[in-house]
Amino acid sequence: MRSLWTGTLSFGLVAVPVKLGSAVSSHKVGFRQIHTADHGRVRLQKVCAIDEQILTPAEIGRAYEAADDELIEISDDEMKALPLPTAKTIEVSGFLDAASVDFLQLDTPYFLAPGNAGANKAYVLMREALQRSGKAAVGKLAMHNSEHLALVRAHDDVLVLQTLRWPDEVKPTSEAAPTGKVTVTDAELELADTLINALGDADLSEYTDDYAEAVQALVAAKIDGGTPAAAGGTTGGGGQVVDLMAALEASVAQARGARADNATDATVTPIKKPAKKTAKRAAPAQKAASAADKASDSGRGGGPAPKSTDTKKSTAKAATAKASTAKKTTAKKTAAAEPAKKTTAKTAARTPAKTAAKTATGKSRRTG
């Protein structure tokens, strides 16, 4: 690991000599600027604006431009002599949960490695303490002519330092928030949730830099004297979405189709109905068919004869139909009989009264 900074990680009275190195690398393809007429390399030279003299790095210094355009020169020695303990020491001043840090503040990650073999034990102690507590250490670091807020945490078997932007360097979100009142319906939110579930979880390890690979393929084809591959892919749409619901529904269908194409084929086994329920449902029809077959055999005077499945089904249907007709007829007769019973009851109630009246009239007539 190439060292970018060396110093001490201070943890209370424990001092750990460390060196700082980059934790990431780039696979970006590098190009050189050339003169298209003769392929001559283009040199970037620094020229003095007064005498137009080309300057070497040793002849270039730094200066602060004051309000009256006056340039105040600051030498390297003066910068090194600044009373900043963070120039050589990362002093831990507190701890916090790493998840509580606003991700907008996260900047560049670096590996912190032991500065020498004698620092290994103190280094491991710091690493294990952070892992056990689940915390991250907060400190400051002066590097590249500026001071940085830093977060130190354990990652696998190393300590990682991640520089943070100062809180007042993060712009307010109101600068990018939509203006005006925007209403989103529950149906649109449900479709958006469905689309999220349809697309599935992302695995960052499966992503590749297609742009860098395409550039490398282009360079390889040019070296071999071949023809570069034709441009492909899709172009980003810049038009306004007219129907949001339609776009969401189409996106869900597309995502589900893509997942179905990538899924392995599965054997589909049809679900059979329970045998017991089928037997119970078929029992009345079978009994009716059996009774009909016995009656038929008795009429012929012979022994039991083989019966076909079609005959059993027809007989069962006929028996079921007759039973249904009989039930309907009985119900009609019962319904018709009920009014008659009511009429008879009424007549029976009135008859004694009428008889008594007639008897009384006859007696009166004979008496007179």
Side-chain angles (χ1 to χ4, degrees):
M1 181 183 75
R2 188 171 70 90
S3 177
L4 303 176
W5 180 93
T6 58
T8 303
L9 175 62
S10 176
F11 175 38
L13 297 178
V14 178
V16 186
V18 291
K19 55 184 178 180
L20 197 72
S22 179
V24 295
S25 62
S26 175
H27 42 67
K28 181 179 179 180
V29 179
F31 291 103
R32 292 186 178 274
Q33 292 181 329
I34 61 170
H35 184 198
T36 56
D38 54 13
H39 284 195
R41 293 185 181 183
V42 176
R43 295 178 178 176
L44 299 179
Q45 296 177 327
K46 295 184 177 182
V47 180
C48 177
I50 296 177
D51 57 12
E52 297 185 354
Q53 179 183 352
I54 299 175
L55 305 176
T56 63
E59 296 174 308
I60 299 175
R62 64 171 61 83
Y64 177 81
E65 186 174 359
D68 56 357
D69 295 336
E70 180 184 2
L71 295 175
I72 302 173
E73 184 178 356
I74 306 293
S75 66
D76 291 341
D77 293 337
E78 290 173 330
M79 290 292 294
K80 292 178 181 179
L82 289 174
L84 290 175
T86 55
K88 284 296 179 181
T89 303
I90 306 169
E91 183 175 356
V92 175
S93 56
F95 298 86
L96 51 70
D97 293 326
S100 65
V101 180
D102 187 353
F103 71 94
L104 292 177
Q105 284 188 251
L106 299 178
D107 202 350
T108 309
Y110 297 92
F111 284 146
L112 270 178
N116 51 57
N120 287 346
K121 185 171 183 178
Y123 180 92
V124 173
L125 173 65
M126 179 72 171
R127 185 193 67 196
E128 295 297 321
L130 291 177
Q131 285 180 339
R132 285 167 59 91
S133 65
K135 299 286 187 178
V138 179
K140 292 193 298 182
L141 166 71
M143 181 176 62
H144 300 157
N145 298 326
S146 60
E147 191 174 55
H148 305 270
L149 190 59
L151 199 68
V152 179
R153 51 185 164 181
H155 179 71
D156 293 337
D157 56 349
V158 299
L159 289 175
V160 173
L161 181 146
Q162 189 155 19
T163 56
L164 303 176
R165 296 178 179 88
W166 298 97
D168 59 352
E169 289 182 333
V170 179
K171 296 182 178 180
T173 56
S174 58
E175 293 188 9
T179 57
K181 185 178 180 180
V182 179
T183 303
V184 179
T185 64
D186 292 339
E188 291 168 339
L189 280 174
E190 290 177 1
L191 267 179
D193 292 339
T194 304
L195 177 57
I196 291 172
N197 294 331
L199 289 174
D201 296 332
D203 185 357
L204 295 181
S205 63
E206 295 180 355
Y207 287 78
T208 58
D209 188 346
D210 295 335
Y211 186 87
E213 292 178 358
V215 173
Q216 291 172 354
L218 171 62
V219 173
K222 299 276 287 185
I223 292 174
D224 296 338
T227 303
T234 58
T235 58
Q240 183 178 359
V241 178
V242 179
D243 190 343
L244 184 58
M245 289 291 289
L248 285 170
E249 290 172 351
S251 300
V252 170
Q254 183 181 23
R256 286 176 174 172
R259 293 188 69 178
D261 293 340
N262 295 333
T264 56
D265 295 337
T267 303
V268 179
T269 304
I271 301 176
K272 296 181 179 180
K273 295 181 179 180
K276 291 183 178 180
K277 292 183 179 180
T278 305
K280 288 182 179 179
R281 292 177 182 174
Q286 290 177 354
K287 289 181 179 178
S290 178
D293 290 339
K294 288 180 180 179
S296 176
D297 293 338
S298 176
R300 289 195 301 268
K307 294 177 279 297
S308 65
T309 304
D310 294 337
T311 304
K312 289 182 179 181
K313 290 182 178 179
S314 300
T315 306
K317 288 181 179 179
T320 304
K322 286 180 180 180
S324 177
T325 304
K327 287 182 180 179
K328 290 181 180 179
T329 304
T330 303
K332 289 180 179 179
K333 288 180 179 181
T334 303
E338 287 180 356
K341 288 181 181 179
K342 292 180 180 179
T343 304
T344 304
K346 290 180 180 179
T347 304
R350 289 197 298 268
T351 300
K354 289 181 178 180
T355 304
K358 288 181 180 180
T359 303
T361 303
K363 287 182 178 181
S364 64
R365 285 179 181 176
R366 285 195 298 270
T367 304

